[in-house]
Amino acid sequence: MEPVATKPLGLNGRTYRLPSRPTAVICADGCDPAYLDAGIKAAALPTIAGFREHGFYGLADAAMPTFTNPNNVSIVTGTPPSFHGISGNFALDRETGAEVMMTDPAMLRCPTLLAAMSQAGVSTAAITAKDKLRRMLGHELKGICFSSEMAASCTVAEHGIENVEALVGRPKPDMYSADLSLFVLDAGIRLVEEGRAELLYLSLSDYVQHGHAPGEPEALEFHRALDQRIAALMQLGCVVGVTADHGMNDKALPDGSPHVIFLEDLLNREFGAGAVRVICPITDPFVRHHGALGSFVRVYAKHGAAPSELARAVRGLPGIDQVLERGAAAAEYELPYDREADLVVTGNANTVLGSTVAEHDLDGLAGHRLRSHGGRGEQRVPFLLSHPLNDTYRAKGNSRLRNFDIFDFALNGIEV
């Protein structure tokens, strides 16, 4: 279908050219740069390695906190959380006091590029591994939007497509599998082959990265499969952009047990029962691989202590990276002030933070070392383009990049 609009599209303070050829942006969930370094060293990533000579191979900063929802929404809006409003996977609603999943499109404060492109007549598809993202990615999108998780029950009315398992040629994958991500990529490839998508956003799962360190056989196998699918998209004539929502670090002690500070327990012991409520924004419906433990938590003062007193009690604890009160956190991390806690605490690259021991089920780790994310230690992510950049964007590539610059580079920055 020819786009109705032909002029560049203005959105959220940026201007985007409509795609002149199929364009696919991949959010490789949890793809710490170390995975690509290990894969290239093992000769497992010939396509991605080739970007160094024939495309663009750089690093960018993810949005804080380095969790799935805020970063995916940043990527599809081209903005930080302070602009789009999604500041975690899980949050406390200050107005109602309810603890909620941040998956409701009503929480979005700006339109997505996917919606805008589809409304301009560009055939657009968004495919994600987990269904938790689908509603926000598909908000006002006039095209195809579905998840691997729910691939067996897609309808034209709700998802813009049906018979997805037949399209891909296999049943929907298990939620805790590498194939959850590969299914997303294979579906995207099929849509391009059938001429059903000119602009694609393909958002993967970090199941492999939570369970396996760079260089381990399972990690190499998965990233080799990712590389092969990128090659397939390029063979179909696509411009491919690749970035990530966050990196990944080992969060275990030398004996293999999780290196965790249960902050709500600690502060309530010091300031009295019920003094604080700690919210872990990493929480989502699928926590088996990380036990809802990440390196970024929000602390709400209930009674008995001011935020400044709470901050003093936390600063200096082994494993703590930063402790910021509400205004400082909103400013430094580009977060919406009205949705921010009294205190934000981040752990260092080897430390996760929890609420109470009772609230975190670690049985799902089954003896595996905890690998997780959320803090500044997981902010550096890959920023890759399959094709050479034009002069303007080659210069931009030498400055600080954000993962949510990727659509700008993929649509505006490629030599034509």
Side-chain angles (χ1 to χ4, degrees), residues 25-30 65 67-77 84 86-90 101-108 112 114 125-141 144-150 158-159 175 180-181 184 201-206 244-246 281-286 373 403:
V25 167
I26 299 169
C27 177
D29 195 340
F67 295 136
T68 296
N69 290 18
N71 275 277
N72 273 268
V73 177
S74 284
I75 291 168
V76 300
T77 62
H84 61 66
I86 305 302
S87 56
N89 301 347
F90 187 76
M101 298 299 300
M102 296 195 88
T103 56
D104 188 342
M107 302 183 83
L108 276 170
T112 72
L114 305 175
I127 311 173
T128 184
K130 298 177 183 178
D131 206 59
K132 68 176 186 179
L133 275 175
R134 178 186 59 84
R135 291 177 64 213
M136 283 195 290
L137 296 182
H139 184 51
E140 298 185 346
L141 190 163
I144 294 170
C145 184
F146 66 92
S147 67
S148 291
E149 179 186 351
M150 303 300 290
E158 184 172 353
H159 306 90
M175 283 301 299
L180 193 73
S181 293
V184 171
Y201 182 59
L202 307 174
S203 181
L204 312 185
S205 160
D206 58 3
D245 50 353
H246 55 77
I282 194 174
T283 306
D284 70 11
F286 303 97
H373 52 95
N403 61 351

Side-chain angles (χ1 to χ4, degrees), residues 221-234:
E221 180 182 356
F222 172 75
H223 289 91
R224 181 183 289 110
L226 169 64
D227 189 89
Q228 291 168 350
R229 275 121 175 121
I230 292 171
L233 286 166
M234 292 173 62

Side-chain angles (χ1 to χ4, degrees), residues 198-256:
E198 298 168 274
L199 184 68
L200 299 97
Y201 182 59
L202 307 174
S203 181
L204 312 185
S205 160
D206 58 3
Y207 170 76
V208 170
Q209 293 85 353
H210 271 290
H212 302 285
E216 290 185 1
E218 296 88 347
L220 288 174
E221 180 182 356
F222 172 75
H223 289 91
R224 181 183 289 110
L226 169 64
D227 189 89
Q228 291 168 350
R229 275 121 175 121
I230 292 171
L233 286 166
M234 292 173 62
Q235 288 166 7
L236 292 170
C238 290
V239 170
V240 181
V242 182
T243 190
D245 50 353
H246 55 77
M248 191 74 69
N249 275 311
D250 182 278
K251 307 286 186 178
L253 296 167
D255 66 1

Side-chain angles (χ1 to χ4, degrees), residues 14 16 23-28 51 56-61 71-79 113 199-202 239-245 381-386 389 393 401-414:
R14 297 180 186 248
Y16 299 91
T23 300
V25 167
I26 299 169
C27 177
F51 288 2
F56 181 81
Y57 192 109
L59 296 174
D61 286 338
N71 275 277
N72 273 268
V73 177
S74 284
I75 291 168
V76 300
T77 62
T79 67
L113 178 64
L199 184 68
L200 299 97
Y201 182 59
L202 307 174
V239 170
V240 181
V242 182
T243 190
D245 50 353
V381 295
F383 191 96
L384 315 177
L385 278 305
S386 59
L389 299 179
Y393 278 77
L401 295 174
R402 308 299 299 275
N403 61 351
F404 52 83
D405 294 327
I406 191 70
F407 271 107
D408 178 19
F409 273 64
L411 291 168
N412 300 328
I414 302 302

